[in-house]
Amino acid sequence: MRSRLFFGKMRHSVLIVGFLWSVSLAWFGGELAKHSPIGGFVNGFCGPTTLLAEETLSAGEPPHAEGVMPMPITRADAMKRMNKKTYFAYRSFKAEHETMQRFAAVGVDTFCIFPSSTDNSLGKPYSDYPPIWRYADQYDFTSLDRQFDEILAIVPNARFLCMIDLNTPGWLARQLGMQMDGGFDSFIELSNTLSNERWKTLTRQYLEAFLRHTEARYGDRIDAYILACGQTDEWMDYASGRFSRAKWQKFNVWNAAHGFAPLSQPIPFAQRDTATFEGWIRSPLTEAALIHEAQFTGELIVDTIVEFARQTKSLCTTPKEVGVFYGYILELTGQRLVSCGHLEYERLMQSGAIDFFISPGTYSERPIGGGSGFMIPAGTRLQYGINQIHEIDHRTTTYNIHLDEYVSLPFEKWKSTAEDIAGTRREMSLALINHTSLWWFDMWGGAHSTDTAIENMAKMKAIWDAKSTDFSPSVAQIALIVDPQSARFLNDRHANTNGVFHAMRNRLNHLGMPFDVYSFNDLETLDLSPYRLLVLPGSFLIDAEREKILRDKVMRDGRTILWVYAPGVLDGVSEPNAQRVEKYTGVPYGTPGMSVIEMQGDTPIAPTDSTQSTAILCTNTWRSVYFHTYAEVTSELLQKIARDAGVWSYIDDPVPVYANERLLAIHMARGGEKTIRLPRRCSRVTELFSGKTVAEQTDTFTYTFETPETALFELFSEVP
């Protein structure tokens, strides 16, 4: 595990043993104060802070000298790190025992249970079973045992992924609220609750009692624990700028440790709802406190996760994996992108405490014809060798929307059995090709209740068993680059926020070409040679170190770089300045429409310029494509930009395509005969759901899609 600390020009390898919040902050604060020209500000925002890493650099990963680029990490290298367990599991809030038996009959033996003591966002109990955490030091483990034992009675060989509900039970929220220091329902006020020592003490005690019980009775059956807290148990903070006294004190300790002046009072809401640059991007000089608050909140959440994860592993009698829902930079739109505290996912990945992240498939691309997608940057977690569980809670035709006789949910469902099959196969193919685990989250039951659904599940499970151990790397030539450090500067209530990462990911789904998603900090070590098009829609912060990475690694080799809005408007140490944008894009900030500029280094050149040698042009030239507004970046234009950049197009239709070196999936809402082009000649192409060979000895073939259909092809290369 790489454990590296990026603070502007300062790089350290750090080994920190134990979870010592105050000591670590003091250490970081001292270093920051020494190196930052304005009390450590810019250094704290140029990269992820590494805290509590259990390992230093792995063998074969020597630290590189100042100013020397490290050896690039290829996609094949990243696959070699994927030695985690792979899960194909079933989950439900309800006691869906009949469905569990039917899943078990087709080979699904792993079940996620959620022994909960709290209510969901609708105010209804999460679980069909009685609460476990009854009062301080009072636990009803008979309720917990029932959930294991009832499944074992019907599936004797069952394995378990066990969620642990760390949210504040109602009785504890009331007690803590009586301190007259705000609300401490962690479901909403996560950051305030995490700052409350009474909550933390009682929750540690509950976690220990829970684990001692489960490890003693079911330890040989449990493969992993999932730590659940915050809004919808996904570690999201909905405090939205509200501070308890305890949280305020922690924030000022954090400020002091980072060399920042203490604040006398929280920032008023009127200041939160705007920003210096066009109401959206904050100034590092006049709005520093809000940017600091965003980082502090995320670090508070991450460091609490790390603490509980380490406690969990220390109490396991045999090695267990630990996972969390976190890192939703591609999903949290509107006022949630910054304020929910999910931007510090790199810090969590670097900690070594978490084995897998979990996220549902994106909600906006669920209709048939949509491309689905992960909420976390899958390329980044692969760089760290971390697994992911793709949660498939999609609404089939038989999905139950009735919680009880009074509460029903107005969810839009897929419209036919054919859509159910095409949709579930799309989600499974997305997970399989991108090397994630998955679970079928049958939220309130009914999603997979028909014979047809179970027959389809049997086919998917058989394919999964046969192919999920193949870690063929991605063949994408497009990469979307998300940027959590730049995102800290955003007023996330601004309308532009939705367009930055979430909408861009959705538009890239409709090119007929696969794409990967990485974080800006991956660029320094990532092998970029496979990528012809890099999409950077939100890299507003470009300081000297980031500029060097862009110049040395990104803006070269004939590559196309797509920028949107205001790349480089921030340098981290001065006011936002729109004049900086032209330095990267080749055209002034605000230029309307699509601007395409051929560049040599940072100088615009004529596309037909032949004064330079071919070798120099190939190495030092690149193409800049700039859009001022996010609405202008349509899928149609993205498809043209990608083709002009030399990206391989598998199919002419603007449809979702997922691909690695071995597997290719294409999802179609409307069928018909389509021509599919492969980047290499194959001896055989087999469609796995049907088991039919559809082509031999070719790099181009036709396939007739049903309406709708997700086809999954296995590509057999010719032997040289």
Side-chain angles (χ1 to χ4, degrees), residues 101-137:
Q101 283 183 296
R102 300 188 77 186
F103 267 63
V106 299
V108 179
D109 64 356
T110 303
F111 303 93
C112 176
I113 64 169
F114 184 29
S116 175
S117 300
T118 58
D119 294 343
N120 60 27
S121 59
L122 300 170
K124 297 293 182 178
Y126 266 121
S127 178
D128 281 346
Y129 298 87
I132 296 166
W133 191 2
R134 293 293 192 165
Y135 212 66
D137 299 321

Side-chain angles (χ1 to χ4, degrees), residues 104-365:
V106 299
V108 179
D109 64 356
T110 303
F111 303 93
C112 176
I113 64 169
F114 184 29
S116 175
S117 300
T118 58
D119 294 343
N120 60 27
S121 59
L122 300 170
K124 297 293 182 178
Y126 266 121
S127 178
D128 281 346
Y129 298 87
I132 296 166
W133 191 2
R134 293 293 192 165
Y135 212 66
D137 299 321
Q138 299 296 315
Y139 316 115
D140 178 12
F141 288 129
T142 59
S143 175
L144 173 61
D145 293 342
R146 280 181 57 197
Q147 297 179 59
F148 282 102
D149 294 343
E150 289 176 7
I151 295 174
L152 288 169
I154 58 172
V155 186
N157 64 330
R159 308 294 304 174
F160 293 96
L161 308 176
C162 182
M163 293 182 66
I164 306 177
D165 184 4
L166 301 178
N167 266 323
T168 319
W171 59 266
L172 181 55
R174 288 288 180 90
Q175 284 192 2
L176 296 176
M178 293 297 287
Q179 297 175 353
M180 300 184 70
D181 188 24
F184 296 98
D185 178 358
S186 56
F187 195 93
I188 301 296
E189 304 278 348
L190 180 62
S191 57
N192 283 320
T193 305
L194 301 186
S195 302
N196 185 286
E197 290 304 318
R198 174 66 173 161
W199 175 86
K200 206 169 206 180
T201 297
L202 290 174
T203 304
R204 284 195 201 103
Q205 292 171 356
Y206 169 64
L207 178 59
E208 179 175 354
F210 186 102
L211 289 165
R212 290 196 184 282
H213 184 86
T214 54
E215 285 295 292
R217 291 179 64 95
Y218 309 103
D220 61 338
R221 298 283 191 166
I222 297 171
D223 290 323
Y225 290 103
I226 294 109
L227 303 177
C229 198
Q231 174 75 13
T232 56
D233 301 294
E234 296 167 284
W235 295 95
M236 291 186 286
D237 182 26
Y238 273 47
S240 192
R242 294 183 295 273
F243 276 83
S244 66
R245 286 178 177 83
K247 177 182 164 184
W248 184 247
Q249 290 169 359
K250 279 188 177 291
F251 183 35
N252 268 331
V253 168
W254 186 94
N255 279 320
H258 286 73
F260 309 139
L263 302 179
S264 59
Q265 62 182 3
I267 298 94
F269 289 111
Q271 294 180 26
R272 294 176 179 277
D273 295 347
T274 187
T276 297
F277 187 78
E278 297 190 346
W280 191 32
I281 299 177
R282 303 197 188 283
S283 162
L285 301 184
T286 60
E287 298 171 283
L290 284 166
I291 306 164
H292 298 160
E293 183 188 315
Q295 183 173 354
F296 161 76
T297 301
E299 290 185 6
L300 175 64
I301 294 169
V302 164
D303 296 346
T304 304
I305 291 172
V306 170
E307 179 179 2
F308 286 138
R310 292 198 173 150
Q311 180 185 0
T312 299
K313 290 188 175 184
S314 72
L315 291 167
C316 290
T317 55
T318 57
K320 304 285 194 303
E321 293 193 332
V322 175
V324 290
F325 294 85
Y326 190 74
Y328 296 1
I329 191 172
L330 287 154
E331 187 71 13
L332 294 178
T333 54
Q335 64 196 57
R336 302 184 300 162
L337 176 62
V338 181
S339 62
C340 276
H342 269 229
L343 293 178
E344 308 307 317
Y345 57 85
E346 292 166 294
R347 182 183 181 90
L348 185 54
M349 291 178 181
Q350 290 171 341
S351 73
I354 296 298
D355 299 288
F356 57 87
F357 283 52
I358 314 166
S359 69
T362 186
Y363 289 95
S364 54
E365 284 280 284

Side-chain angles (χ1 to χ4, degrees), residues 478-480 499-513 515 532-537 560-564 594 625 627 629-649 654:
I478 302 171
L480 170 63
V500 186
F501 305 128
H502 179 78
M504 193 64 64
R505 186 273 318 276
N506 291 353
R507 290 167 188 161
L508 287 168
N509 272 334
H510 300 278
L511 307 188
M513 310 168 188
F515 65 96
R532 305 309 310 147
L533 171 62
L534 296 183
V535 181
L536 285 85
T560 297
I561 313 300
L562 189 150
W563 317 92
V564 189
M594 180 175 72
V625 180
F627 292 89
T629 69
Y630 293 92
E632 293 174 301
V633 191
T634 64
S635 291
E636 292 77 15
L637 285 176
L638 283 169
Q639 189 180 56
K640 181 183 186 305
I641 292 165
R643 286 174 175 167
D644 290 347
V647 175
W648 189 268
S649 177

Side-chain angles (χ1 to χ4, degrees), residues 21 31 90 98 117 149 160 167 213 318 437 451 566 582 619 634 651 685 692:
W21 165 263
E31 291 298 296
Y90 174 87
E98 181 179 348
S117 300
D149 294 343
F160 293 96
N167 266 323
H213 184 86
T318 57
S437 294
D451 291 344
E582 188 172 1
T619 301
T634 64
I651 187 170
V685 179
K692 295 179 180 178

